[in-house]
Amino acid sequence: MHACTVCGREDKLYEAGRCDRCALARRVTEAMTGPDGVVPGALIAVHAAIAASPTPRKALNWLRQGAGAPILAELAAGTIALSHEALDTHPRPRAANHVRQMLVTHGALAPRDEQLFTLERLNAQTIAAIDRTEDRNTVTVFATWRVLRRLRRRADHNTTARTAIAHARNQVLGAVRFLDWLATHDLTLTTCTQGDLDLWLATGPRSRYDVRYFLDWTHERKLSTILNVPPVRSAPGDALDAETRWEIINTLLHDPGIELADRVAGSFVLLYAQPLSRIAAITIDTITTTDTDVTIRFGALALTIPEPLATHVTALISTGRTDHVGIGSITPSRWLFPGHLPGRPITANRLGQRLGAYGIDARAAKKAAQLQLATEVPAVVLAEILGIAITTAVDWFHAAGGDWANYAATTATP
């Protein structure tokens, strides 16, 4: 250990007698200084956030080797415009998106719903590939005024920093695939019968049932007759067996080699049947700690977290999230599971990859937990905890063969 020649702090020196913190301050200033010798005003907050990184060595390595650092330098130099459009066309799109999130997080760029933007771009590409003018115009109106309009309305009330676009994307793809099939069979929306639709549904994957949204819309607009797509009920599939589930839970709670974030996220799947998308969006303000207990809100219900999981959750909030915060993020993060992109939570896909390292198949584990919960709480409570429809919760209750004798003992409180 040596004393830093700049601040006097004793540390493993990084370069030229400087500690990591002072070396980081010098490097980030060099990278972000404009032609006039100062950091541009719009980038000052980004500069400060990088300089204050809780992991200075990691930030130094990013400045030296990361693909995003040269983009910040270009922005500071004025060689690329400080705009979403300029970043959209950058030849390093992943790095540009990371920088974009830095800029948005610190007010240098106006927020933009990236998922909605991605959906609009993908839909435009899909629609442009339709070579039948009438069908192309029909899908354009459906995608713009039914699918996107409803999605934007939901996004306006979204608090998770992510707009789920997969379902909306599937609605547009379902419409295009059905129209393509009609065209290859010399059919149109006006000549298609229920028998034709049934044939199409019966000779393809389950994803074809997504066409129901398009056909409801075409009937409303009198573009087709009534064409009924039967509902596909959500039902229990293969679930993790009970013994394996409890073995994994025991490992998560007690193995000292497991990272806190993985320990807590895995427990939320295996004990509370939470989907990865919901876990990823958990904010620390949904967790309440008192002298006697720790509670978490899934939906409108507050559940008491038992020990030792409660201790792991509080430790994650206080000490365990630093290494997962992206360079340029605001610290501390509002997300229980911060992601690589500044100001954003971890993605469900990445969370699933991390849990997979411990042998956790999130879907099978979630189903096993659902089956147990279905034997312990009424459908209305189960629906709230899991974020599912009452009818689906009833299906799970019947599949579990459960009763509600234990309802009085549940830890859920309104």
Side-chain angles (χ1 to χ4, degrees):
M1 302 291 285
H2 302 279
C4 174
T5 59
V6 178
C7 68
R9 176 187 175 199
E10 288 192 354
D11 199 354
K12 293 179 180 179
L13 298 186
Y14 181 75
E15 59 180 20
R18 292 181 175 88
C19 67
D20 285 352
R21 179 65 62 193
C22 291
L24 174 59
R26 182 179 69 84
R27 283 291 181 94
V28 70
T29 299
E30 289 176 350
M32 298 184 65
T33 296
D36 58 357
V38 298
V39 176
L43 301 180
I44 287 176
V46 176
H47 171 276
I50 297 174
S53 172
T55 52
R57 179 62 63 93
K58 178 180 174 182
L60 275 165
N61 289 336
W62 183 82
L63 286 168
R64 294 173 61 208
Q65 303 171 2
I71 300 176
L72 274 181
E74 291 177 289
L75 289 167
T79 54
I80 63 173
L82 183 58
S83 68
H84 284 293
E85 292 72 23
L87 294 173
D88 289 339
T89 59
H90 197 279
R92 303 293 294 273
R94 291 187 63 183
N97 193 43
H98 185 105
V99 172
R100 183 201 314 279
Q101 295 307 318
M102 284 188 186
L103 299 171
V104 169
T105 297
H106 297 285
L109 269 184
R112 184 179 76 175
D113 192 315
E114 294 302 317
Q115 282 69 40
L116 271 176
F117 176 79
T118 297
L119 179 63
E120 290 174 347
R121 177 173 53 81
L122 292 173
N123 283 350
Q125 293 171 354
T126 298
I127 293 170
I130 303 173
D131 58 9
R132 303 173 303 277
T133 301
E134 184 176 352
D135 286 348
R136 185 168 60 249
N137 291 340
T138 298
V139 177
T140 296
V141 176
F142 171 67
T144 302
W145 296 107
R146 172 57 66 90
V147 178
L148 282 172
R149 186 177 185 182
R150 289 186 172 183
L151 191 62
R152 287 194 185 98
R153 191 179 301 127
R154 287 197 297 271
D156 288 341
H157 302 286
N158 184 24
T159 60
T160 67
R162 276 200 179 90
T163 300
I165 65 171
H167 183 55
R169 174 66 174 155
N170 288 339
Q171 292 179 43
V172 175
L173 290 175
V176 173
R177 290 165 181 164
F178 182 60
L179 291 173
D180 286 344
W181 184 85
L182 290 178
T184 61
H185 289 75
D186 295 323
L187 295 168
T188 66
L189 281 171
T190 55
T191 62
C192 177
T193 66
Q194 184 66 45
D196 296 323
L197 172 60
D198 292 342
L199 175 63
W200 185 68
L201 294 173
T203 56
R206 179 173 171 173
S207 60
R208 288 190 172 184
Y209 283 77
D210 287 325
V211 78
R212 71 163 54 87
Y213 306 98
F214 176 62
L215 294 180
D216 287 346
W217 177 81
T218 59
H219 172 61
E220 290 174 7
R221 293 177 61 87
K222 304 187 185 307
L223 299 176
S224 69
T225 60
I226 298 177
L227 296 170
N228 294 314
V229 179
V232 179
R233 299 293 296 272
S234 175
D238 294 334
L240 190 67
D241 68 88
E243 183 177 353
T244 302
R245 173 175 171 252
W246 284 111
E247 286 177 357
I248 297 176
I249 291 171
N250 184 66
T251 300
L252 287 174
L253 294 178
H254 301 290
D255 186 338
I258 298 178
E259 285 195 42
L260 272 173
D262 300 333
R263 191 190 302 279
V264 172
S267 297
F268 285 168
V269 174
L270 286 155
L271 292 174
Y272 298 108
Q274 294 301 298
L276 295 181
S277 58
R278 204 176 192 190
I279 293 172
I282 292 174
T283 55
I284 58 174
D285 60 7
T286 62
I287 299 170
T288 302
T289 302
T290 68
D291 293 337
T292 57
D293 56 32
V294 178
T295 62
I296 184 169
R297 285 193 172 274
F298 296 126
L301 296 178
L303 304 177
T304 299
I305 304 175
E307 292 291 356
L309 181 56
T311 295
H312 296 322
V313 170
T314 54
L316 178 61
I317 292 174
S318 60
T319 64
R321 299 179 298 148
T322 299
D323 291 341
H324 301 285
V325 175
I327 303 299
S329 294
I330 294 175
T331 53
S333 174
R334 64 183 285 248
W335 306 107
L336 185 62
F337 303 100
H340 174 67
L341 291 177
R344 306 293 290 274
I346 192 172
T347 65
N349 285 342
R350 177 59 184 143
L351 191 57
Q353 291 171 2
R354 292 179 64 95
L355 297 184
Y358 305 103
I360 300 173
D361 179 328
R363 184 166 297 181
K366 174 172 168 282
K367 287 178 180 177
Q370 283 175 321
L371 286 170
Q372 178 175 338
L373 287 171
T375 68
E376 297 176 349
V377 299
V380 64
V381 177
L382 183 66
E384 184 60 44
I385 294 173
L386 303 183
I388 59 178
I390 293 290
T391 53
T392 304
V394 171
D395 288 344
W396 278 100
F397 166 73
H398 290 307
D403 59 54
W404 296 330
N406 294 325
Y407 177 54
T410 185
T411 55
T413 56

